[in-house]
């Protein structure tokens, strides 16, 4: 809604995927521009400051892309892509995130010079997750210090992830080049992140990809061309320095284009199968928890959540997360050998389950030694909010029945189990492996009379923990409410 020629509320085509609670867009106006490049405005991004009139201390930074009126069709196509992204709740990785779209004349712009430059243009405002942003072709043209061999490998890896993330939602980008790759730089260092933008040629395949995935070939050819162009850039830097070969003593050249580093440029083809493998391959940057693109045994990408923080020394890959109401449903009251995947394009903590084949792919990846169950994992907190009050961790060596469905219990030696704050370590607990009508579960009644006979005070008749939930103890945190979640993971030591 526009009032007094000022953006007062989020328009209907606002894009999800940004932290709107933090952005506080009410009464924002563009106050400053950090690069004057509007003479060639189409496909150009500039850093801007968004000024909040109500809370002046909460100024925000973003990056702005503008189109001429004659390019309205391209602007509308990109706007449609972000509309579809919101409507379908796609969780896409390494994609430029949209905050809002508008005609420039609808925006209150403090700078008169900038207002004049933008008055007839169409705008898309993107989230700025770092200190600065520039299209890759601009960094190449300026021979940026950020284009080191290791950073170029990072660029290729990031863009490969974005292509495959689009693939999980049956989307083709169709226009990958140095102008549509945006590089985010961060304060206090040379680390970077590459994001894929410009969705004016994106195609959404309503029927999905064919069995041979031939539709992906153009995007992968574009990525190979991008790789070749960056290698040519490196050769240019070497030739410009007046040498035919890398001189190890010439540190200025070595830091820019070391031949040994360029021998590993093909690392962008590495496809991690688990979060632990992603960490082992140094694909996790600062080991911050988050969504990652992983690959199954058929090299098909899918999105899952990686936890590096909650258990020191362990790395975990999410394989299932169900709300209490979904966990009690007939659909999900099944063992892990029953293939009932949720839509993997849009991870949803209330209803998320990988296919059995992808769970097995993660389990069979070297280093996957344990499984665990947690309650109410909170992605807004650094350690997920895990307090180990309700918690289960078991070694696959102790329980080889994770993918069985015989509806039997096995006395299983537990690394660590806590139910309602009552804890047992290295004890034998009865764990039911599930069936076609029951989830893998600890029957708290059984724990007191089977195996090591672990007695838990205040147990109610038929009480279940970490699944199935025939009866739920309200003091068990996975069962506090219908939206309480039970989270199952596969992982191992790092």
């Amino acid at each position: 809604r526009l009032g007094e020629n000022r953006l007062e509320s989020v328009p209907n085509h606002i894009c999800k995927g940004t932290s709107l609670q933090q952005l506080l867009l009410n009464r924002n106006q563009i106050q400053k521009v950090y690069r004057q490049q509007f003479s060639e405005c189409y496909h150009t991004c500039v850093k801007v400051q968004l000024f909040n009139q109500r809370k002046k201390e909460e100024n925000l930074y973003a990056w702005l892309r503008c189109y001429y009126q004659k390019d309205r069709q391209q602007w509308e196509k990109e706007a449609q892509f972000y509309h579809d992204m919101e409507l379908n709740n796609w969780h896409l990785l390494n994609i430029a995130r949209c905050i809002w779209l508008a005609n420039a004349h609808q925006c209150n712009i403090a700078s008169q010079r900038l207002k004049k430059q933008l008055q007839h243009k169409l705008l898309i405002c993107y989230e700025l997750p770092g200190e600065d942003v520039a299209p890759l072709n601009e960094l190449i043209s300026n021979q940026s210090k950020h284009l080191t061999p290791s950073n170029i490998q990072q660029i290729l890896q990031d863009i490969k992830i974005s292509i495959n993330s689009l693939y999980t939602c049956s989307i083709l980008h169709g226009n990958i080049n140095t102008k549509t790759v945006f590089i985010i730089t961060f304060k206090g260092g040379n680390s970077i992140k590459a994001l894929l933008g410009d969705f004016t040629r994106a195609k959404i395949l309503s029927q999905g990809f064919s069995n041979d995935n031939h539709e992906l070939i153009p995007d992968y050819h574009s990525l190979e061309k991008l790789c070749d162009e960056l290698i040519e850039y490196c050769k240019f830097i070497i030739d410009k320095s007046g040498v035919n070969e890398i001189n190890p003593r010439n540190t200025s050249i070595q830091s820019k284009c070391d031949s040994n580093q360029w021998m590993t440029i093909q690392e962008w083809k590495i496809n991690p199968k688990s979060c632990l493998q992603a960490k082992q391959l140094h694909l996790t940057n600062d080991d911050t928890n988050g969504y990652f693109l992983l690959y199954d045994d058929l090299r098909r990408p899918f999105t899952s959540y990686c936890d590096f923080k909650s258990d020191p020394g362990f790395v975990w890959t999410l394989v299932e997360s169900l709300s209490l109401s979904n966990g009690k449903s007939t659909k999900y009251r099944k063992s892990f050998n029953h293939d009932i995947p949720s839509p993997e394009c849009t991870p949803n903590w209330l209803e998320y389950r990988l296919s059995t084949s992808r769970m097995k792919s993660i389990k069979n990846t070297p280093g996957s030694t344990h499984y665990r169950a947690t309650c109410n994992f909170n992605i807004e907190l650094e350690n997920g909010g895990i307090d180990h009050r309700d918690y289960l961790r078991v070694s696959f060596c102790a329980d080889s029945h994770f993918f069985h469905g015989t509806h039997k219990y096995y006395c299983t030696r537990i690394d660590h189990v806590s139910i309602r704050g009552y804890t047992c370590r290295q004890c034998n607990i009865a764990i039911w492996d599930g069936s076609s009508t029951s989830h893998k579960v600890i029957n708290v009644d059984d724990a007191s009379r089977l195996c090591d006979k672990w007695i838990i005070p205040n147990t109610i008749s038929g009480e279940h923990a970490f699944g199935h939930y025939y009866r739920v103890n309200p003091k068990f945190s996975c069962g506090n409410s219908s939206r309480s979640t039970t989270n199952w993971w596969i992982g191992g030591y790092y």
Side-chain angles (χ1 to χ4, degrees), residues 185-205:
T185 56
F186 298 92
K187 190 175 182 179
N190 291 323
S191 62
I192 65 168
K193 187 173 185 63
L195 303 178
L196 190 57
D198 186 352
F199 292 92
T200 57
R201 299 184 188 176
K203 294 182 181 179
I204 301 170
L205 306 180

Side-chain angles (χ1 to χ4, degrees), residues 30-42 44-49 64 66 68 109-118 121 132-133 138:
I30 300 172
Q31 185 184 41
K32 295 181 180 178
V33 63
Y34 285 78
R35 268 198 251 113
Q36 301 292 340
Q37 295 177 326
F38 288 99
S39 58
E40 298 179 0
C41 187
Y42 178 53
T44 296
C45 287
V46 292
K47 182 181 176 182
V48 298
Q49 181 177 358
L64 200 66
C66 57
Y68 289 110
I109 303 173
S111 165
Q112 291 301 312
R113 178 184 177 187
L114 181 58
K115 184 175 183 179
K116 183 176 181 181
Q117 290 172 319
L118 292 177
K121 296 184 175 66
D132 205 355
V133 62
E138 182 181 312

Side-chain angles (χ1 to χ4, degrees), residues 273-274 276-277 280 295-297 317 319 356-370 396 400 402-403 490-491:
K273 291 185 175 182
S274 69
L276 178 60
Q277 194 169 71
Q280 291 170 335
Y295 299 80
D296 60 22
D297 289 334
T317 306
V319 297
T356 299
S357 63
R358 286 178 172 167
M359 290 189 202
K360 289 183 176 179
S361 175
I362 295 168
K363 191 262 183 185
N364 294 333
T365 301
S368 294
T369 56
H370 290 72
F396 282 119
S400 59
F402 190 81
F403 293 108
I490 294 175

